[in-house]
Amino acid sequence: MFQTRGQSGHDLPLPFRVIFPKDKNCDRFTALIKVFSFFLFLASISLVLYSAFVRQDLWFRCPECPDSSISFKPVCDPHQYNSTATDDSLSPTNISHIVFGIAGSAQTWNNRKHYSELWWKPTVTRGFVWLDEEPDPNSTWPGTSPPYRISSDWKKFKFTSSQSAVRISRVIVDSFRVGLPNARWFVMGDDDTVFFTENLVTVLAKYNHREMYYIGGNSESVEQNVMHAYDMAFGGGGFAISYPLAAELVRIMDGCLNRYFNFYGSDQRVWACVGEVGITLTRERGFHQIDIRDDPFGLLAAHPMAPLVSLHHLEYVQPLFPDQSQIESLRMLTTAYKVDPARTMQQSFCYYQRYKWSISVSWAYAVQIYPWLLSAKDLETPLQTFRTWRSWSSGPFMFNTRPMSSEPCERPVIFYLDSIKEDEKGKTVTTYKKSPIKQEKKCNQANYARAFAIEKIVVSSLKMDPEKWKKVPRRQCCEASKGFWSNTMTVKIRNCKHRETITT
């Protein structure tokens, strides 16, 4: 290893100068041992210094972690999954693995709590409503609402648009720092967001919670996406952050918020911080921001082939059912949803050949009869019964639409959900009736009059297996029938047969 000149080694520089005894073989071996030991000592010192001053920057130091009174603390490595859940980490994702963070306000909660109470289950769901201040001490926090907590340290950050947007952007961080065990996903929503939790579980279960995921949907109105971002999950519709990504956000969020102080909303700030980690949006079509105005019928009656996960901005559109208030409408919808969550608002269409009618069913919402033949692509395209969110214009939207004619003879006959039950054979039976409000004008054409004479539509189906959403989605087929003198039509929804199409 070292070259020497002479037996004594006087030509070598210090500290490598070695004096060899007279026995050359033994003496050289001893000298090499000493040199090796010296380099090993230097390597040990370097490793200690690297661990003390360099390596610690690669680890998550968890600022403002929960105190010792909480039995669980987040792990220090953001890439390592929650250590308290390792025995359970390979089991299928269920509702207990989700922590909800609801953005609320002490001043508005009493007026908006009914949205959360539609889906919150006190003994099943986990999470908190994050408030800006303590609620009224003279009132009791309702047991039907999610428990509340107060947002932390939100007034110290810079902002231009809204200080509350800064607070709400930290809901994921605050929820993470609570340290609830076995958390796999942190789901953000507003106090007027309605979640459909079984379908949310179905969606999140498709993804590996050990990886960093940012899952949600964007706005329906193009103008909103142009103003904010096309690849941003809009917060009102809700979005999901996996545990490892939440751990990274805890580490960088404070500095990130000051870098993006000029952004408009909380969801835009979260999107920017997620982008700094290098993660992009994974889109799921069942998250609905409802950035539209007027009547949401066309959008919901042609729901995409995806589980219904959330609805937002419901105070800004007409009630889902025209003869009810919005809350009454939502109670009607959620009652049916509990019977068959996976099928809710899924669209099927078929034809009644005797009269050449086209029939579209949005399960648990509405049935449309078109007294003429309409192609499958037209039936799956939403009628434009709504306008854009900001300008109240006729478009554009993030999906195709077809016009809703003002002529009575060019509009479908619409029936809305009236009741639901399960029969003795395990089938689900939903009944739909005409709404007098939506059918004010009549068409005098014979074929239209025959369709308008239908008073009730009864739809039967077996419950839809949520596992179907893990496969390539295929729209189910249906069969329509009616007695010659009957004013009731029956529709049976079923799996399509081999080589069956909508038109055969």
Side-chain angles (χ1 to χ4, degrees):
M1 182 179 296
F2 299 99
Q3 294 181 347
T4 62
R5 295 180 184 176
Q7 186 176 14
S8 63
H10 289 300
D11 294 328
L12 293 174
L14 289 173
F16 303 103
R17 186 177 299 168
V18 180
I19 306 298
F20 293 107
K22 293 181 180 181
D23 188 344
K24 294 182 178 181
N25 293 331
C26 180
D27 295 340
R28 288 178 182 276
F29 180 77
T30 303
L32 289 173
I33 291 294
K34 291 181 179 180
V35 172
F36 178 78
S37 299
F38 178 76
F39 276 101
L40 185 63
F41 173 75
L42 288 179
S44 300
I45 292 296
S46 300
L47 183 61
V48 170
L49 293 175
Y50 176 79
S51 300
F53 298 105
V54 178
R55 179 63 184 171
Q56 67 173 348
D57 290 336
L58 301 179
W59 294 83
F60 168 49
R61 301 183 214 175
C62 195
E64 301 178 31
C65 273
D67 58 34
S68 58
S69 64
I70 299 177
S71 58
F72 166 79
K73 289 187 178 183
V75 293
C76 288
D77 183 356
H79 302 291
Q80 178 183 346
Y81 182 62
N82 183 344
S83 59
T84 66
T86 52
D87 293 337
D88 184 52
S89 61
L90 298 179
S91 65
T93 294
N94 60 54
I95 191 64
S96 70
H97 296 126
I98 299 174
V99 177
F100 289 95
I102 307 302
S105 167
Q107 301 299 318
T108 62
W109 181 253
N110 282 336
N111 295 328
R112 289 193 164 189
K113 64 183 180 182
H114 41 260
Y115 290 109
S116 295
E117 290 173 349
L118 285 168
W119 59 269
W120 184 261
K121 300 176 182 177
T123 60
V124 177
T125 42
R126 300 195 302 167
F128 306 94
V129 177
W130 291 92
L131 302 179
D132 47 353
E133 60 185 359
E134 287 287 343
D136 184 359
N138 297 320
S139 62
T140 302
W141 187 261
T144 52
S145 294
Y148 76 88
R149 293 215 172 192
I150 309 301
S151 298
S152 65
D153 298 334
W154 52 284
K155 294 184 178 180
K156 67 180 182 181
F157 298 97
K158 295 189 295 182
F159 69 96
T160 57
S161 60
S162 169
Q163 194 171 27
S164 64
V166 178
R167 178 180 71 85
I168 295 170
S169 66
R170 303 182 78 251
V171 164
I172 293 291
V173 170
D174 283 340
S175 298
F176 182 93
R177 288 173 176 163
V178 172
L180 293 179
N182 298 322
R184 295 183 181 181
W185 298 93
F186 295 88
V187 173
M188 168 75 186
D190 283 355
D191 52 7
D192 60 343
T193 303
V194 176
F195 284 107
F196 298 85
T197 53
E198 286 84 353
N199 290 343
L200 175 63
V201 170
T202 297
V203 168
L204 297 183
K206 297 191 302 182
Y207 300 96
N208 183 355
H209 57 275
R210 290 175 171 270
E211 303 292 336
M212 288 191 283
Y213 276 106
Y214 167 53
I215 301 173
N218 49 17
S219 174
E220 292 83 0
S221 292
V222 168
E223 62 189 17
Q224 286 291 94
N225 294 313
V226 170
M227 177 173 291
H228 302 291
Y230 279 93
D231 57 347
M232 179 187 87
F234 278 65
F239 57 82
I241 300 286
S242 63
Y243 185 98
L245 180 54
E248 286 285 0
L249 290 178
V250 170
R251 185 173 66 86
I252 70 168
M253 181 64 83
D254 286 4
C256 182
L257 288 179
N258 282 328
R259 282 191 291 278
Y260 299 100
F261 71 94
N262 58 321
F263 275 14
Y264 177 77
S266 59
D267 44 11
Q268 196 173 21
R269 288 171 166 85
V270 173
W271 163 73
C273 297
V274 168
E276 290 200 352
V277 180
I279 302 301
T280 58
L281 174 65
T282 298
R283 286 182 176 84
E284 282 287 345
R285 300 176 73 192
F287 290 87
H288 294 293
Q289 175 76 4
I290 310 294
D291 272 351
I292 56 177
R293 303 283 185 167
D294 209 354
D295 189 353
F297 170 80
L299 173 63
L300 300 180
H303 192 276
M305 278 194 290
L308 173 65
V309 174
S310 67
L311 295 172
H312 178 51
H313 274 163
L314 296 170
E315 292 182 343
Y316 301 94
V317 292
Q318 295 177 16
L320 303 187
F321 299 110
D323 50 351
Q324 300 178 11
S325 69
Q326 192 64 283
I327 291 301
E328 290 171 338
S329 297
L330 290 168
R331 289 196 183 105
M332 170 74 79
L333 177 64
T334 54
T335 298
Y337 158 79
K338 292 173 184 177
V339 176
D340 195 350
R343 188 182 295 283
T344 302
M345 283 195 180
Q346 295 310 303
Q347 187 189 22
S348 299
F349 33 78
C350 48
Y351 299 95
Y352 185 50
Q353 297 294 346
R354 178 188 294 178
Y355 298 140
K356 293 182 171 53
W357 292 351
S358 306
I359 299 169
S360 173
V361 178
S362 175
W363 192 88
Y365 180 48
V367 178
Q368 304 170 71
I369 297 180
Y370 294 82
W372 61 89
L373 293 178
L374 201 61
S375 72
K377 296 310 295 181
D378 283 335
L379 288 170
E380 70 179 18
T381 302
L383 283 167
Q384 189 174 326
T385 60
F386 43 84
R387 297 182 179 274
T388 61
W389 171 257
R390 183 170 296 274
S391 63
W392 290 69
S393 63
S394 58
F397 300 96
M398 292 295 292
F399 44 84
N400 294 326
T401 61
R402 55 192 172 99
M404 181 69 151
S405 176
S406 60
E407 292 296 323
C409 294
E410 297 176 1
R411 305 179 72 155
V413 183
I414 302 173
F415 302 76
Y416 287 90
L417 179 68
D418 182 68
S419 65
I420 182 169
K421 66 178 182 179
E422 294 181 75
D423 67 12
E424 62 279 0
K425 297 181 181 179
K427 290 185 178 180
T428 301
V429 179
T430 49
T431 302
Y432 304 78
K433 292 185 177 181
K434 284 203 306 280
S435 168
I437 297 178
K438 287 294 182 72
Q439 317 291 160
E440 293 176 352
K441 296 181 180 180
K442 297 181 181 181
C443 173
N444 295 323
Q445 293 179 7
N447 199 34
Y448 195 97
R450 190 180 292 119
F452 196 83
I454 300 293
E455 295 292 338
K456 181 171 64 175
I457 298 177
V458 178
V459 177
S460 64
S461 60
L462 293 174
K463 290 186 178 181
M464 184 173 173
D465 184 0
E467 294 296 311
K468 286 184 176 292
W469 292 118
K470 295 182 180 179
K471 305 175 183 178
V472 178
R474 182 183 183 184
R475 195 184 307 280
Q476 290 190 307
C477 294
C478 65
E479 300 172 358
S481 60
K482 186 186 81 70
F484 188 80
W485 299 107
S486 175
N487 62 0
T488 298
M489 170 166 278
T490 60
V491 177
K492 177 184 178 182
I493 299 176
R494 54 168 176 77
N495 291 326
C496 297
K497 301 175 183 176
H498 181 57
R499 293 186 175 179
E500 181 181 13
T501 65
I502 300 299
T503 53
T504 58

